[in-house]
Amino acid sequence: YPESVGIILWATSNLRNHGQCVAEFLYLMGLRPVWQPGSQRVVDLEVIPLEELQRPRVDVTGRISGLFRDSMPGSVIWLDDAAQRIASLDEPTELNFVRKHVLEEAGELEKSGLDKQAAWRQASYRVFGDPPGAHGAGTGAVLEAKNWETIDDIAAVYTRWGAHAYGKGSEGTYMPEVFKKRMAQIDITVQNVDHRESSMLSGDDYNNYRGGMIAAVRSYKGSMPRNYVSDSSDRSKVQLRSLTEELKRWFRGEAMNPKYIAGMKKHGYKGAGDLATYVAVSYQWDATSDIMENWMYEKYAAKYALDKDMQKWMQEVNPWALHRITEVLLEAEQRGMWQAKPETKQALQELFLSMEGELEERGE
């Protein structure tokens, strides 16, 4: 069993699906909610006995969004209470990973000078998010600005945005060292998806939060965690896929699907811009999570940038989209994330230079 799991908690999805991520957080730790008869409000948490659970209690760290913090404060309290309850149980540490980690870290903090109560409280924070009043994760902005060199740079930005502890006694206190400790313990990251209206490639929010967490684990732990996506868009058939499987599913099903591309073309300027977003977001996922393969970049180059019909259409409706696609692909090659074929690289460089001149003329 994994000792530690990192989970992304968004407000919109949990409001829509009645708290699937909250339920998963609780169940991994070995808790279930207690509902008030009639109103069905959650009024308490009940510890599931180990004899019934039949597995160890898994340590869970939740990275909440700013909207989750603002619209579901009650859930934040329940999640924090869950971690404290489980850590306080008198159980063997090999069957209670929450207690195991809290005991270890609290001991270290006491040695550094904290009193016992403060050390225990600091070691038991498991809910982290944005600074009070802020929204976002920082990852997308730093990647879009090209203002990074290594995975450690991305992790540092993710920490600055997300290392604010929430729960009893802390309404967003910045605790970077505590957050780094949590990220360094994570064996598995997971994000639940409950609809098909957007995907991990259609916008950068997924990579902003989830990819940022993976980058932080890679940086602070020194190894890649296992990464999964839980798809409950069809609640009668919930499916679990690896992040790589999920990427290839959307890459083949939408990004490279001729019918999908034809549909995007009907939207002119906006359609071209959205196709450019697919390329940019794929690159960003690769930067945080190392999941793109050479053939995928080659497909983007051939289908989106070097195809003559696509070039003609984009130059007519949105040449800036074609410029962005070419620029992102060349950046991926320059950073060593893609070993491009020599002829592909040369064709992209020639296209980029020609687009630079064309856009400059249009600007004038």
PDB file of all heavy atoms in Angstrom, residues 261-294:
ATOM      1  N   ILE A 261     -10.716  18.305 -35.302  1.00  0.00           N
ATOM      2  CA  ILE A 261     -10.019  19.442 -35.915  1.00  0.00           C
ATOM      3  C   ILE A 261     -10.940  20.168 -36.892  1.00  0.00           C
ATOM      4  O   ILE A 261     -10.982  21.404 -36.933  1.00  0.00           O
ATOM      5  CB  ILE A 261      -8.731  18.968 -36.615  1.00  0.00           C
ATOM      6  CG1 ILE A 261      -7.740  18.414 -35.571  1.00  0.00           C
ATOM      7  CG2 ILE A 261      -8.089  20.093 -37.406  1.00  0.00           C
ATOM      8  CD1 ILE A 261      -6.522  17.751 -36.171  1.00  0.00           C
ATOM      9  N   ALA A 262     -11.704  19.397 -37.672  1.00  0.00           N
ATOM     10  CA  ALA A 262     -12.646  20.007 -38.618  1.00  0.00           C
ATOM     11  C   ALA A 262     -13.693  20.833 -37.868  1.00  0.00           C
ATOM     12  O   ALA A 262     -14.093  21.918 -38.319  1.00  0.00           O
ATOM     13  CB  ALA A 262     -13.331  18.921 -39.446  1.00  0.00           C
ATOM     14  N   GLY A 263     -14.123  20.330 -36.713  1.00  0.00           N
ATOM     15  CA  GLY A 263     -15.082  21.075 -35.905  1.00  0.00           C
ATOM     16  C   GLY A 263     -14.482  22.366 -35.374  1.00  0.00           C
ATOM     17  O   GLY A 263     -15.148  23.411 -35.337  1.00  0.00           O
ATOM     18  N   MET A 264     -13.220  22.310 -34.959  1.00  0.00           N
ATOM     19  CA  MET A 264     -12.550  23.505 -34.441  1.00  0.00           C
ATOM     20  C   MET A 264     -12.389  24.561 -35.546  1.00  0.00           C
ATOM     21  O   MET A 264     -12.461  25.767 -35.290  1.00  0.00           O
ATOM     22  CB  MET A 264     -11.184  23.139 -33.869  1.00  0.00           C
ATOM     23  CG  MET A 264     -11.234  22.227 -32.658  1.00  0.00           C
ATOM     24  SD  MET A 264     -11.986  23.007 -31.222  1.00  0.00           S
ATOM     25  CE  MET A 264     -10.576  23.836 -30.522  1.00  0.00           C
ATOM     26  N   LYS A 265     -12.199  24.106 -36.775  1.00  0.00           N
ATOM     27  CA  LYS A 265     -12.020  25.043 -37.885  1.00  0.00           C
ATOM     28  C   LYS A 265     -13.258  25.895 -38.120  1.00  0.00           C
ATOM     29  O   LYS A 265     -13.171  27.017 -38.636  1.00  0.00           O
ATOM     30  CB  LYS A 265     -11.656  24.278 -39.158  1.00  0.00           C
ATOM     31  CG  LYS A 265     -10.207  23.824 -39.221  1.00  0.00           C
ATOM     32  CD  LYS A 265      -9.901  23.214 -40.582  1.00  0.00           C
ATOM     33  CE  LYS A 265      -8.414  22.930 -40.734  1.00  0.00           C
ATOM     34  NZ  LYS A 265      -8.093  22.382 -42.071  1.00  0.00           N
ATOM     35  N   LYS A 266     -14.402  25.384 -37.747  1.00  0.00           N
ATOM     36  CA  LYS A 266     -15.652  26.139 -37.918  1.00  0.00           C
ATOM     37  C   LYS A 266     -15.697  27.381 -37.035  1.00  0.00           C
ATOM     38  O   LYS A 266     -16.492  28.280 -37.260  1.00  0.00           O
ATOM     39  CB  LYS A 266     -16.851  25.247 -37.616  1.00  0.00           C
ATOM     40  CG  LYS A 266     -17.026  24.079 -38.576  1.00  0.00           C
ATOM     41  CD  LYS A 266     -18.205  23.210 -38.173  1.00  0.00           C
ATOM     42  CE  LYS A 266     -18.351  22.015 -39.120  1.00  0.00           C
ATOM     43  NZ  LYS A 266     -19.477  21.134 -38.727  1.00  0.00           N
ATOM     44  N   HIS A 267     -14.824  27.408 -36.020  1.00  0.00           N
ATOM     45  CA  HIS A 267     -14.833  28.521 -35.083  1.00  0.00           C
ATOM     46  C   HIS A 267     -13.748  29.554 -35.383  1.00  0.00           C
ATOM     47  O   HIS A 267     -13.500  30.437 -34.561  1.00  0.00           O
ATOM     48  CB  HIS A 267     -14.681  27.990 -33.646  1.00  0.00           C
ATOM     49  CG  HIS A 267     -15.814  27.126 -33.212  1.00  0.00           C
ATOM     50  ND1 HIS A 267     -16.991  27.635 -32.722  1.00  0.00           N
ATOM     51  CD2 HIS A 267     -15.965  25.780 -33.219  1.00  0.00           C
ATOM     52  CE1 HIS A 267     -17.823  26.641 -32.429  1.00  0.00           C
ATOM     53  NE2 HIS A 267     -17.214  25.504 -32.723  1.00  0.00           N
ATOM     54  N   GLY A 268     -13.108  29.419 -36.547  1.00  0.00           N
ATOM     55  CA  GLY A 268     -12.195  30.454 -37.009  1.00  0.00           C
ATOM     56  C   GLY A 268     -11.101  30.810 -36.027  1.00  0.00           C
ATOM     57  O   GLY A 268     -10.343  29.951 -35.560  1.00  0.00           O
ATOM     58  N   TYR A 269     -11.034  32.112 -35.691  1.00  0.00           N
ATOM     59  CA  TYR A 269      -9.981  32.631 -34.815  1.00  0.00           C
ATOM     60  C   TYR A 269      -9.915  31.856 -33.500  1.00  0.00           C
ATOM     61  O   TYR A 269      -8.839  31.440 -33.067  1.00  0.00           O
ATOM     62  CB  TYR A 269     -10.247  34.114 -34.550  1.00  0.00           C
ATOM     63  CG  TYR A 269      -9.250  34.765 -33.624  1.00  0.00           C
ATOM     64  CD1 TYR A 269      -8.121  35.406 -34.135  1.00  0.00           C
ATOM     65  CD2 TYR A 269      -9.442  34.760 -32.240  1.00  0.00           C
ATOM     66  CE1 TYR A 269      -7.199  36.009 -33.283  1.00  0.00           C
ATOM     67  CE2 TYR A 269      -8.524  35.351 -31.386  1.00  0.00           C
ATOM     68  CZ  TYR A 269      -7.414  35.974 -31.911  1.00  0.00           C
ATOM     69  OH  TYR A 269      -6.504  36.567 -31.076  1.00  0.00           O
ATOM     70  N   LYS A 270     -11.071  31.653 -32.855  1.00  0.00           N
ATOM     71  CA  LYS A 270     -11.111  30.960 -31.560  1.00  0.00           C
ATOM     72  C   LYS A 270     -10.690  29.501 -31.707  1.00  0.00           C
ATOM     73  O   LYS A 270      -9.980  28.960 -30.855  1.00  0.00           O
ATOM     74  CB  LYS A 270     -12.525  31.024 -30.974  1.00  0.00           C
ATOM     75  CG  LYS A 270     -12.676  30.361 -29.601  1.00  0.00           C
ATOM     76  CD  LYS A 270     -11.841  31.061 -28.550  1.00  0.00           C
ATOM     77  CE  LYS A 270     -12.220  30.643 -27.136  1.00  0.00           C
ATOM     78  NZ  LYS A 270     -12.028  29.235 -26.851  1.00  0.00           N
ATOM     79  N   GLY A 271     -11.118  28.835 -32.778  1.00  0.00           N
ATOM     80  CA  GLY A 271     -10.738  27.441 -32.987  1.00  0.00           C
ATOM     81  C   GLY A 271      -9.242  27.280 -33.136  1.00  0.00           C
ATOM     82  O   GLY A 271      -8.638  26.371 -32.554  1.00  0.00           O
ATOM     83  N   ALA A 272      -8.628  28.174 -33.903  1.00  0.00           N
ATOM     84  CA  ALA A 272      -7.175  28.121 -34.078  1.00  0.00           C
ATOM     85  C   ALA A 272      -6.465  28.379 -32.749  1.00  0.00           C
ATOM     86  O   ALA A 272      -5.478  27.719 -32.408  1.00  0.00           O
ATOM     87  CB  ALA A 272      -6.733  29.142 -35.120  1.00  0.00           C
ATOM     88  N   GLY A 273      -6.984  29.319 -31.989  1.00  0.00           N
ATOM     89  CA  GLY A 273      -6.391  29.610 -30.682  1.00  0.00           C
ATOM     90  C   GLY A 273      -6.472  28.425 -29.742  1.00  0.00           C
ATOM     91  O   GLY A 273      -5.528  28.148 -28.997  1.00  0.00           O
ATOM     92  N   ASP A 274      -7.597  27.699 -29.769  1.00  0.00           N
ATOM     93  CA  ASP A 274      -7.754  26.532 -28.902  1.00  0.00           C
ATOM     94  C   ASP A 274      -6.824  25.393 -29.318  1.00  0.00           C
ATOM     95  O   ASP A 274      -6.323  24.655 -28.466  1.00  0.00           O
ATOM     96  CB  ASP A 274      -9.209  26.049 -28.927  1.00  0.00           C
ATOM     97  CG  ASP A 274     -10.119  26.968 -28.112  1.00  0.00           C
ATOM     98  OD1 ASP A 274      -9.601  27.848 -27.414  1.00  0.00           O
ATOM     99  OD2 ASP A 274     -11.357  26.810 -28.191  1.00  0.00           O
ATOM    100  N   LEU A 275      -6.583  25.238 -30.606  1.00  0.00           N
ATOM    101  CA  LEU A 275      -5.633  24.219 -31.053  1.00  0.00           C
ATOM    102  C   LEU A 275      -4.222  24.575 -30.587  1.00  0.00           C
ATOM    103  O   LEU A 275      -3.450  23.697 -30.191  1.00  0.00           O
ATOM    104  CB  LEU A 275      -5.680  24.094 -32.579  1.00  0.00           C
ATOM    105  CG  LEU A 275      -6.964  23.494 -33.169  1.00  0.00           C
ATOM    106  CD1 LEU A 275      -6.910  23.504 -34.695  1.00  0.00           C
ATOM    107  CD2 LEU A 275      -7.210  22.081 -32.664  1.00  0.00           C
ATOM    108  N   ALA A 276      -3.891  25.845 -30.625  1.00  0.00           N
ATOM    109  CA  ALA A 276      -2.584  26.276 -30.116  1.00  0.00           C
ATOM    110  C   ALA A 276      -2.475  26.010 -28.616  1.00  0.00           C
ATOM    111  O   ALA A 276      -1.406  25.635 -28.114  1.00  0.00           O
ATOM    112  CB  ALA A 276      -2.380  27.765 -30.406  1.00  0.00           C
ATOM    113  N   THR A 277      -3.596  26.167 -27.910  1.00  0.00           N
ATOM    114  CA  THR A 277      -3.606  25.874 -26.468  1.00  0.00           C
ATOM    115  C   THR A 277      -3.317  24.402 -26.215  1.00  0.00           C
ATOM    116  O   THR A 277      -2.619  24.058 -25.250  1.00  0.00           O
ATOM    117  CB  THR A 277      -4.962  26.269 -25.858  1.00  0.00           C
ATOM    118  OG1 THR A 277      -5.131  27.686 -25.975  1.00  0.00           O
ATOM    119  CG2 THR A 277      -5.062  25.864 -24.393  1.00  0.00           C
ATOM    120  N   TYR A 278      -3.849  23.524 -27.066  1.00  0.00           N
ATOM    121  CA  TYR A 278      -3.568  22.087 -26.917  1.00  0.00           C
ATOM    122  C   TYR A 278      -2.067  21.831 -26.936  1.00  0.00           C
ATOM    123  O   TYR A 278      -1.536  21.073 -26.118  1.00  0.00           O
ATOM    124  CB  TYR A 278      -4.241  21.297 -28.044  1.00  0.00           C
ATOM    125  CG  TYR A 278      -5.560  20.685 -27.660  1.00  0.00           C
ATOM    126  CD1 TYR A 278      -6.680  21.474 -27.429  1.00  0.00           C
ATOM    127  CD2 TYR A 278      -5.706  19.315 -27.514  1.00  0.00           C
ATOM    128  CE1 TYR A 278      -7.891  20.922 -27.066  1.00  0.00           C
ATOM    129  CE2 TYR A 278      -6.911  18.741 -27.153  1.00  0.00           C
ATOM    130  CZ  TYR A 278      -8.003  19.549 -26.930  1.00  0.00           C
ATOM    131  OH  TYR A 278      -9.193  18.996 -26.564  1.00  0.00           O
ATOM    132  N   VAL A 279      -1.368  22.450 -27.878  1.00  0.00           N
ATOM    133  CA  VAL A 279       0.081  22.247 -27.990  1.00  0.00           C
ATOM    134  C   VAL A 279       0.788  22.814 -26.764  1.00  0.00           C
ATOM    135  O   VAL A 279       1.661  22.158 -26.173  1.00  0.00           O
ATOM    136  CB  VAL A 279       0.619  22.903 -29.278  1.00  0.00           C
ATOM    137  CG1 VAL A 279       2.139  22.729 -29.375  1.00  0.00           C
ATOM    138  CG2 VAL A 279      -0.059  22.306 -30.510  1.00  0.00           C
ATOM    139  N   ALA A 280       0.417  24.018 -26.371  1.00  0.00           N
ATOM    140  CA  ALA A 280       1.073  24.667 -25.236  1.00  0.00           C
ATOM    141  C   ALA A 280       0.847  23.890 -23.939  1.00  0.00           C
ATOM    142  O   ALA A 280       1.775  23.707 -23.143  1.00  0.00           O
ATOM    143  CB  ALA A 280       0.550  26.098 -25.087  1.00  0.00           C
ATOM    144  N   VAL A 281      -0.379  23.407 -23.727  1.00  0.00           N
ATOM    145  CA  VAL A 281      -0.679  22.675 -22.493  1.00  0.00           C
ATOM    146  C   VAL A 281       0.020  21.312 -22.489  1.00  0.00           C
ATOM    147  O   VAL A 281       0.494  20.850 -21.450  1.00  0.00           O
ATOM    148  CB  VAL A 281      -2.203  22.527 -22.308  1.00  0.00           C
ATOM    149  CG1 VAL A 281      -2.520  21.604 -21.142  1.00  0.00           C
ATOM    150  CG2 VAL A 281      -2.836  23.891 -22.082  1.00  0.00           C
ATOM    151  N   SER A 282       0.098  20.667 -23.645  1.00  0.00           N
ATOM    152  CA  SER A 282       0.827  19.396 -23.728  1.00  0.00           C
ATOM    153  C   SER A 282       2.285  19.589 -23.333  1.00  0.00           C
ATOM    154  O   SER A 282       2.858  18.793 -22.586  1.00  0.00           O
ATOM    155  CB  SER A 282       0.744  18.831 -25.153  1.00  0.00           C
ATOM    156  OG  SER A 282      -0.586  18.536 -25.509  1.00  0.00           O
ATOM    157  N   TYR A 283       2.875  20.668 -23.824  1.00  0.00           N
ATOM    158  CA  TYR A 283       4.257  20.995 -23.474  1.00  0.00           C
ATOM    159  C   TYR A 283       4.388  21.252 -21.970  1.00  0.00           C
ATOM    160  O   TYR A 283       5.347  20.805 -21.320  1.00  0.00           O
ATOM    161  CB  TYR A 283       4.706  22.221 -24.273  1.00  0.00           C
ATOM    162  CG  TYR A 283       5.837  22.987 -23.647  1.00  0.00           C
ATOM    163  CD1 TYR A 283       7.147  22.532 -23.736  1.00  0.00           C
ATOM    164  CD2 TYR A 283       5.588  24.163 -22.938  1.00  0.00           C
ATOM    165  CE1 TYR A 283       8.186  23.235 -23.140  1.00  0.00           C
ATOM    166  CE2 TYR A 283       6.618  24.869 -22.339  1.00  0.00           C
ATOM    167  CZ  TYR A 283       7.917  24.394 -22.442  1.00  0.00           C
ATOM    168  OH  TYR A 283       8.935  25.090 -21.850  1.00  0.00           O
ATOM    169  N   GLN A 284       3.415  21.957 -21.394  1.00  0.00           N
ATOM    170  CA  GLN A 284       3.474  22.257 -19.967  1.00  0.00           C
ATOM    171  C   GLN A 284       3.356  20.986 -19.128  1.00  0.00           C
ATOM    172  O   GLN A 284       4.026  20.846 -18.096  1.00  0.00           O
ATOM    173  CB  GLN A 284       2.374  23.259 -19.604  1.00  0.00           C
ATOM    174  CG  GLN A 284       2.619  24.647 -20.172  1.00  0.00           C
ATOM    175  CD  GLN A 284       1.591  25.667 -19.724  1.00  0.00           C
ATOM    176  OE1 GLN A 284       0.801  25.424 -18.816  1.00  0.00           O
ATOM    177  NE2 GLN A 284       1.604  26.828 -20.363  1.00  0.00           N
ATOM    178  N   TRP A 285       2.490  20.060 -19.549  1.00  0.00           N
ATOM    179  CA  TRP A 285       2.408  18.772 -18.852  1.00  0.00           C
ATOM    180  C   TRP A 285       3.751  18.048 -18.912  1.00  0.00           C
ATOM    181  O   TRP A 285       4.168  17.403 -17.946  1.00  0.00           O
ATOM    182  CB  TRP A 285       1.326  17.897 -19.483  1.00  0.00           C
ATOM    183  CG  TRP A 285      -0.042  18.073 -18.904  1.00  0.00           C
ATOM    184  CD1 TRP A 285      -1.134  18.620 -19.510  1.00  0.00           C
ATOM    185  CD2 TRP A 285      -0.474  17.678 -17.593  1.00  0.00           C
ATOM    186  NE1 TRP A 285      -2.207  18.597 -18.660  1.00  0.00           N
ATOM    187  CE2 TRP A 285      -1.834  18.024 -17.480  1.00  0.00           C
ATOM    188  CE3 TRP A 285       0.158  17.080 -16.507  1.00  0.00           C
ATOM    189  CZ2 TRP A 285      -2.578  17.783 -16.317  1.00  0.00           C
ATOM    190  CZ3 TRP A 285      -0.571  16.843 -15.348  1.00  0.00           C
ATOM    191  CH2 TRP A 285      -1.916  17.195 -15.263  1.00  0.00           C
ATOM    192  N   ASP A 286       4.407  18.143 -20.041  1.00  0.00           N
ATOM    193  CA  ASP A 286       5.701  17.476 -20.176  1.00  0.00           C
ATOM    194  C   ASP A 286       6.733  18.109 -19.250  1.00  0.00           C
ATOM    195  O   ASP A 286       7.564  17.417 -18.647  1.00  0.00           O
ATOM    196  CB  ASP A 286       6.178  17.571 -21.631  1.00  0.00           C
ATOM    197  CG  ASP A 286       7.177  16.486 -21.990  1.00  0.00           C
ATOM    198  OD1 ASP A 286       7.202  15.433 -21.316  1.00  0.00           O
ATOM    199  OD2 ASP A 286       7.931  16.673 -22.958  1.00  0.00           O
ATOM    200  N   ALA A 287       6.658  19.427 -19.101  1.00  0.00           N
ATOM    201  CA  ALA A 287       7.604  20.124 -18.235  1.00  0.00           C
ATOM    202  C   ALA A 287       7.449  19.702 -16.779  1.00  0.00           C
ATOM    203  O   ALA A 287       8.440  19.539 -16.060  1.00  0.00           O
ATOM    204  CB  ALA A 287       7.415  21.637 -18.372  1.00  0.00           C
ATOM    205  N   THR A 288       6.210  19.509 -16.336  1.00  0.00           N
ATOM    206  CA  THR A 288       5.984  19.154 -14.928  1.00  0.00           C
ATOM    207  C   THR A 288       6.027  17.656 -14.688  1.00  0.00           C
ATOM    208  O   THR A 288       6.501  17.200 -13.642  1.00  0.00           O
ATOM    209  CB  THR A 288       4.616  19.668 -14.450  1.00  0.00           C
ATOM    210  OG1 THR A 288       3.568  19.073 -15.255  1.00  0.00           O
ATOM    211  CG2 THR A 288       4.533  21.173 -14.536  1.00  0.00           C
ATOM    212  N   SER A 289       5.548  16.875 -15.660  1.00  0.00           N
ATOM    213  CA  SER A 289       5.280  15.458 -15.410  1.00  0.00           C
ATOM    214  C   SER A 289       5.975  14.487 -16.347  1.00  0.00           C
ATOM    215  O   SER A 289       5.814  13.274 -16.207  1.00  0.00           O
ATOM    216  CB  SER A 289       3.754  15.214 -15.467  1.00  0.00           C
ATOM    217  OG  SER A 289       3.061  16.168 -14.702  1.00  0.00           O
ATOM    218  N   ASP A 290       6.720  15.000 -17.333  1.00  0.00           N
ATOM    219  CA  ASP A 290       7.524  14.158 -18.219  1.00  0.00           C
ATOM    220  C   ASP A 290       6.693  13.055 -18.873  1.00  0.00           C
ATOM    221  O   ASP A 290       7.045  11.875 -18.817  1.00  0.00           O
ATOM    222  CB  ASP A 290       8.685  13.552 -17.425  1.00  0.00           C
ATOM    223  CG  ASP A 290       9.733  12.909 -18.318  1.00  0.00           C
ATOM    224  OD1 ASP A 290       9.824  13.303 -19.493  1.00  0.00           O
ATOM    225  OD2 ASP A 290      10.448  12.002 -17.852  1.00  0.00           O
ATOM    226  N   ILE A 291       5.580  13.432 -19.534  1.00  0.00           N
ATOM    227  CA  ILE A 291       4.688  12.410 -20.085  1.00  0.00           C
ATOM    228  C   ILE A 291       4.511  12.477 -21.602  1.00  0.00           C
ATOM    229  O   ILE A 291       3.860  11.610 -22.185  1.00  0.00           O
ATOM    230  CB  ILE A 291       3.294  12.445 -19.417  1.00  0.00           C
ATOM    231  CG1 ILE A 291       2.667  13.835 -19.534  1.00  0.00           C
ATOM    232  CG2 ILE A 291       3.393  12.027 -17.960  1.00  0.00           C
ATOM    233  CD1 ILE A 291       1.254  13.893 -18.992  1.00  0.00           C
ATOM    234  N   MET A 292       5.061  13.486 -22.252  1.00  0.00           N
ATOM    235  CA  MET A 292       4.983  13.528 -23.716  1.00  0.00           C
ATOM    236  C   MET A 292       6.091  12.659 -24.309  1.00  0.00           C
ATOM    237  O   MET A 292       7.177  12.547 -23.746  1.00  0.00           O
ATOM    238  CB  MET A 292       5.132  14.965 -24.200  1.00  0.00           C
ATOM    239  CG  MET A 292       3.903  15.828 -23.974  1.00  0.00           C
ATOM    240  SD  MET A 292       2.551  15.446 -25.123  1.00  0.00           S
ATOM    241  CE  MET A 292       3.204  16.153 -26.653  1.00  0.00           C
ATOM    242  N   GLU A 293       5.796  12.058 -25.459  1.00  0.00           N
ATOM    243  CA  GLU A 293       6.774  11.238 -26.167  1.00  0.00           C
ATOM    244  C   GLU A 293       7.110  11.889 -27.498  1.00  0.00           C
ATOM    245  O   GLU A 293       6.334  12.701 -28.023  1.00  0.00           O
ATOM    246  CB  GLU A 293       6.220   9.823 -26.368  1.00  0.00           C
ATOM    247  CG  GLU A 293       5.952   9.104 -25.049  1.00  0.00           C
ATOM    248  CD  GLU A 293       5.313   7.733 -25.250  1.00  0.00           C
ATOM    249  OE1 GLU A 293       5.283   7.257 -26.401  1.00  0.00           O
ATOM    250  OE2 GLU A 293       4.844   7.151 -24.251  1.00  0.00           O
ATOM    251  N   ASN A 294       8.258  11.520 -28.064  1.00  0.00           N
ATOM    252  CA  ASN A 294       8.718  12.149 -29.304  1.00  0.00           C
ATOM    253  C   ASN A 294       7.676  12.096 -30.414  1.00  0.00           C
ATOM    254  O   ASN A 294       7.451  13.076 -31.123  1.00  0.00           O
ATOM    255  CB  ASN A 294      10.016  11.490 -29.775  1.00  0.00           C
ATOM    256  CG  ASN A 294      11.217  11.907 -28.959  1.00  0.00           C
ATOM    257  OD1 ASN A 294      11.240  12.976 -28.359  1.00  0.00           O
ATOM    258  ND2 ASN A 294      12.233  11.056 -28.917  1.00  0.00           N
TER     259      ASN A 294
END
